[in-house]
Amino acid sequence: MSSNDQENSLNFNTDWSYSPAPESTDHVTIKDRYDLFIGGEFVAPASDKYFTSMNPATEEPLAELAEAGAEDVDRAVKAARKAYKQNWSGLAPASRGKYIYRIARILQERAREFAVVESMDGGKPIRESRDIDVPLAAAHFFYYAGWADKVDYAFPGRKTGPVGVAGQIIPWNFPLLMAAWKIAPALACGNTVVLKPAETTPLTAMLLAEVIAEAELPPGVVNIVTGAGKTGAAIVDHPDIDKIAFTGSTEVGRIIQKALAGTDTRYTLELGGKAANIIFEDAALDQAVEGIVNGIFFNQGHVCCAGSRLLVQESVADDVLGRLKDRMETLIVGDPLDKNTDIGAINSSMQLETINKYLEIGQQEGATMHQSSCALPDKGHWCRPTVFTGVAQSHRIVQEEIFGPVLAVQTFRTVDEAVAKANNTPYGLSGGVWTDKGAKIFKVSNQMRAGVVWANTFNKFDPGSPFGGYKESGVGREGGLHGLKPYLQLA
Ligand code: NAP
Ligand code: MG
């Protein structure tokens, strides 16, 4: 080969973009309409009203869902109470475990279908729903199925018993996974539940209702009512609910806390976050950049524990930012069903508005905005990965949760300064520390006022690990042995 030929062959294919690789939807049947799942049956809402869930990537309607009013919530609570008294609370714990195992196994069998529907209804990349949401949801059912007949050993010397009927309200960012987080420990401890999924992502909850019916759980042990905020409020206000488990915004968390003040209803609240990812100069920088990308661009930044603040040591700040911007250019934004997609659709037009509002605010506050140059699809709700530099601690984009793929970058010089900045927030859900010094990991993670601190990694979950926040990020813990406690009476 002449040197000219060699040059030509090297220049030959300069377009390294991937060909489309969409996941097939052939095996998925989404019904035109879903009713409420109450007492083991699918029933129409008293009002006969239905709302539509959209696909945020195509802006096309997917299905109609029943809008549950107070009357329907009351029916669901009565069904849950009946099942609690007549059956579930008195059942041998090992038998409860068997039912929960069945749910886990059917979920695994239908994993591909669940992943596709999750991506269609909520906009998250199929790679995430397939590799994270659905397997983790099944893992939660497996994990808590194992606890069902061992609960007494979890709290030695104490007598354990169920709490009663749990009302569970979940958000749209991890629809199936949040349902699993809520339902699995409640059932393992002998409680029955009324669950409300978010208005924009109810479909996998309705598929889960089918799974629960297929697993032949006694009627009324799990009831699923769809609707908007009003349906959630009807659950919170129902006098025969013994425990509320809520995951969502700090704003609604406050409303719930006020509504329950002075009552004997127990509650756990998993709320917002504004986590700091701290990168020290001695960190493996390429790995750290992957951690930043995973921390804030994963699931479009629709993650309560997202690493939405980057604190980078001044000596490596330019280097890290350069690497980050290069990496951002390679991220693919687009069709959630494409296996190459890194960043899917923003969940709703309302959420896109919120994110865009913060992009404006950030610029008005004087920060410098950098976005990747990728093309966006014509239809649907999208946001390019975005980084703000030149931000001050007092800026709203540093203090407030944006819940989108938007990173605010600050620098620091000393360990103490990094910790002080990380903790200077009303939230305290999670954090990250990147360094090759073990002692620094222990020092910093001990000083961070956050429920979860990842070291040299980010956004990793396991059913055995407790999860929950400090300060305005919530009350109580879910997951692991800690996650049993809110669903038990301990004597
Ligand atoms: P949200 O508006 O608080 O909604 C959460 C759930 O509460 C939804 O099902 C919602 O119904 C319902 N709801 C709304 N108003 C209610 C009321 N007055 N009473 C009872 N229920 C009510 O939160 P989101 O915007 O869906 O989710 C994003 C938020 O969740 C973020 O702040 C995020 O940080 C947080 N989050 C926290 C965790 C955690 O573990 N800490 C995990 C995931 C998400 P509709 O959606 O149908 O209106
Ligand atoms: Mg939807």
Side-chain angles (χ1 to χ4, degrees), residues 12 39 76 109 112 131 144 186 191-192 299 308 340 349 354 363 366 412 468:
F12 178 62
E109 281 163 19
R112 206 161 143 234
D131 297 348
Y144 281 108
N191 306 277
T192 57
N299 199 24
S308 51
N340 295 320
S349 56
T354 305
Q363 293 173 88
F412 67 88

Side-chain angles (χ1 to χ4, degrees), residues 44 51 93 197 233 248 290 314 367 389 393 408:
F51 64 94
E290 277 313 299
E314 209 172 82
T389 50
Q393 191 69 39

